Amino acid sequence: MMKKSIGYVALSVVFLTTSCKQESAADKITSSDMEAVAAAKALEGKFPKVKLDKLEHDFGTINEGDIVETEFMVTNDGEVDLIISDAKGSCGCTVPQPPKEPIKPGASAPIKVSFNSQGKPGAQKKMVTLTTNTSKGYETFEIKANVTPKAGISATTK
């Protein structure tokens, strides 16, 4: 029994001394990790900058039920590619169509925006929000229109 106990103790000591080899954090860093850090430091503080040709578009007076479109031109005034990851109107009647590809520094691209005036009589003002990789993380602009309501249906039928 004593030999078994000594054997277990010896086995435990061997196991503990070989399994407790500690790796430092430096042992875990690869060259690709270092390249990624260098690239991030090179871009540190550099963001794309959005410049829009206008911040608001007024469709003027339109008839209820009209679907109207306009285009906003976005220019990247920053030092790195501008990525527009999402674009949303403040309601389902406003549909923006941003570019799918990144916009290079100095380049421009259109953002089409359509507005469906069905069921929207009166003065309308809708916001479009772009989710971007700018320092702020988003950009906004507006569309507006004065929608003339549809004429009422006559109560008499022929």
Side-chain angles (χ1 to χ4, degrees):
M1 182 83 163
M2 181 74 157
K3 285 186 180 185
K4 261 189 176 180
S5 296
I6 293 174
Y8 286 130
V9 170
L11 183 60
S12 297
V13 170
V14 169
F15 177 74
L16 289 173
T17 57
T18 59
S19 66
C20 288
K21 180 183 175 222
Q22 294 184 9
E23 291 184 37
S24 69
D27 294 337
K28 296 178 182 179
I29 297 173
T30 66
S31 61
S32 63
D33 293 334
M34 293 303 290
E35 290 170 6
V37 169
K41 283 190 176 196
L43 293 176
E44 196 171 285
K46 294 182 181 180
F47 291 97
K49 293 179 186 170
V50 169
K51 179 180 171 191
L52 291 160
D53 65 336
K54 56 189 174 184
L55 294 177
E56 180 182 89
H57 178 80
D58 188 350
F59 289 110
T61 301
I62 61 174
N63 294 316
E64 184 178 354
D66 288 352
I67 299 174
V68 291
E69 285 189 357
T70 189
E71 198 171 86
F72 288 78
M73 190 59 72
V74 61
T75 301
N76 179 359
D77 274 355
E79 299 178 47
V80 296
D81 288 1
L82 169 64
I83 298 169
I84 301 173
S85 59
D86 194 22
K88 291 190 185 226
S90 55
C91 80
C93 61
T94 305
V95 181
Q97 296 175 327
K100 295 182 187 327
E101 299 298 319
I103 303 170
K104 299 283 184 200
S108 298
I111 298 174
K112 291 182 181 180
V113 179
S114 64
F115 170 67
N116 184 345
S117 64
Q118 183 65 43
K120 304 285 182 195
Q124 299 294 315
K125 192 171 195 177
K126 305 298 179 187
M127 179 82 63
V128 174
T129 302
L130 306 175
T131 303
T132 64
N133 63 330
T134 59
S135 61
K136 192 166 50 169
Y138 67 93
E139 304 295 327
T140 60
F141 53 88
E142 295 177 335
I143 59 167
K144 63 182 188 176
N146 186 25
V147 181
T148 303
K150 286 184 179 179
I153 299 173
S154 173
T156 59
T157 58
K158 295 183 180 179

